[in-house]
Amino acid sequence: MSDSELLVTALARLARLMAADDVAAVLEHVLVSATDLLHLSGATVLRVWDEAGQSEGHPASISASTESLAELARSQLDAARGPALEAMRHGEAVTVTEIGKYLDVWPEYASAAERHGMSSVASTPLRHDDLSFGALCIYSAERRDWAPPDLSVGELLAELTAGHLVTVDRLREKQQLADQLQHALDARIVIEQAKGVIANARNITPDAAYKLIRTHARRNRISVQAVATGIVELRLRI
């Protein structure tokens, strides 16, 4: 197969994996595709932020072709410097033909690269709108002058990866919001039911019943919902 046919095949499979909503499989395929299409030594996807630019709740994550390349990614995180982070900060690809020449700039990363036999790297940011929240790094053990076709493939895979991660994040957030709303609705329903039970049992108003439920909850240091659930489901009487 020609390089163009290989690219089309890889993208078709990537589209199927994205439709299946399997992030791990998508990232693995991106790494394999970048490595095979460009005849490289491997690749990494480093994600530092979520698509909203916040790290809280979204710890940095690393996907890598090999443990050696994962160590290169971790060295950048630990030292807060390296080509992936440079690509993120500036929002554009960073290409390095000889990593060893950057020992003064990225000492931790360059030392790790030498230790694992990596000579060249090209880092492309994962971007959404004007925000970079990660990077795809492609590696060659042999010295490599990165050509425009190399960078085009890297940029395409990075763009598709970023779009998928953003979509997954947003769907997850929407599901979390839906779950929270459903929980609040369920709580409201059981509290209203409990008010009715106590109001009927004591021949008082629903508002007075709620005050009794709330007082019981405070006295026993439990939630109003827990008391209401006990009244409705366990026949608790107060």
Side-chain angles (χ1 to χ4, degrees), residues 41 69 72 75-76 81-84 94-123 137-144 146:
S41 300
L69 294 182
L72 289 184
S75 72
Q76 296 186 72
R81 54 187 174 187
V94 172
T95 60
V96 179
T97 301
E98 296 183 52
I99 300 174
K101 291 184 176 181
Y102 286 76
L103 189 60
D104 291 339
V105 181
W106 309 317
E108 302 85 0
Y109 173 78
S111 296
E114 180 181 7
R115 188 164 60 251
H116 294 295
M118 291 297 133
S119 296
S120 302
V121 61
S123 298
C137 294
I138 52 180
Y139 286 92
S140 174
E142 305 296 329
R143 183 186 185 281
R144 185 154 180 161
W146 299 101

Side-chain angles (χ1 to χ4, degrees), residues 62-208:
I62 296 170
S63 299
S65 300
T66 66
E67 181 54 38
S68 295
L69 294 182
E71 183 179 329
L72 289 184
R74 283 192 292 269
S75 72
Q76 296 186 72
L77 287 176
D78 293 342
R81 54 187 174 187
L85 300 187
E86 286 296 314
M88 288 175 53
R89 289 178 183 129
H90 298 291
E92 58 186 26
V94 172
T95 60
V96 179
T97 301
E98 296 183 52
I99 300 174
K101 291 184 176 181
Y102 286 76
L103 189 60
D104 291 339
V105 181
W106 309 317
E108 302 85 0
Y109 173 78
S111 296
E114 180 181 7
R115 188 164 60 251
H116 294 295
M118 291 297 133
S119 296
S120 302
V121 61
S123 298
T124 304
L126 303 179
R127 292 176 56 82
H128 177 64
D129 294 334
D130 294 327
L131 175 71
S132 297
F133 59 91
L136 167 67
C137 294
I138 52 180
Y139 286 92
S140 174
E142 305 296 329
R143 183 186 185 281
R144 185 154 180 161
D145 294 312
W146 299 101
D150 299 336
L151 300 181
S152 294
V153 171
E155 289 170 358
L156 176 59
L157 292 174
E159 181 179 351
L160 292 173
T161 301
H164 182 63
L165 291 175
V166 167
T167 300
V168 169
D169 269 350
R170 289 181 172 176
L171 289 175
R172 185 181 296 114
E173 289 170 0
K174 287 180 180 179
Q175 185 59 55
Q176 288 174 346
L177 177 59
D179 291 344
Q180 290 169 358
L181 292 174
Q182 186 62 54
H183 179 74
L185 177 59
D186 292 343
R188 188 69 260 170
I189 289 173
V190 75
I191 290 171
E192 290 299 322
Q193 290 174 334
K195 285 165 59 177
V197 170
I198 298 302
N200 288 333
R202 287 178 169 263
N203 195 27
I204 56 178
T205 66
D207 286 344

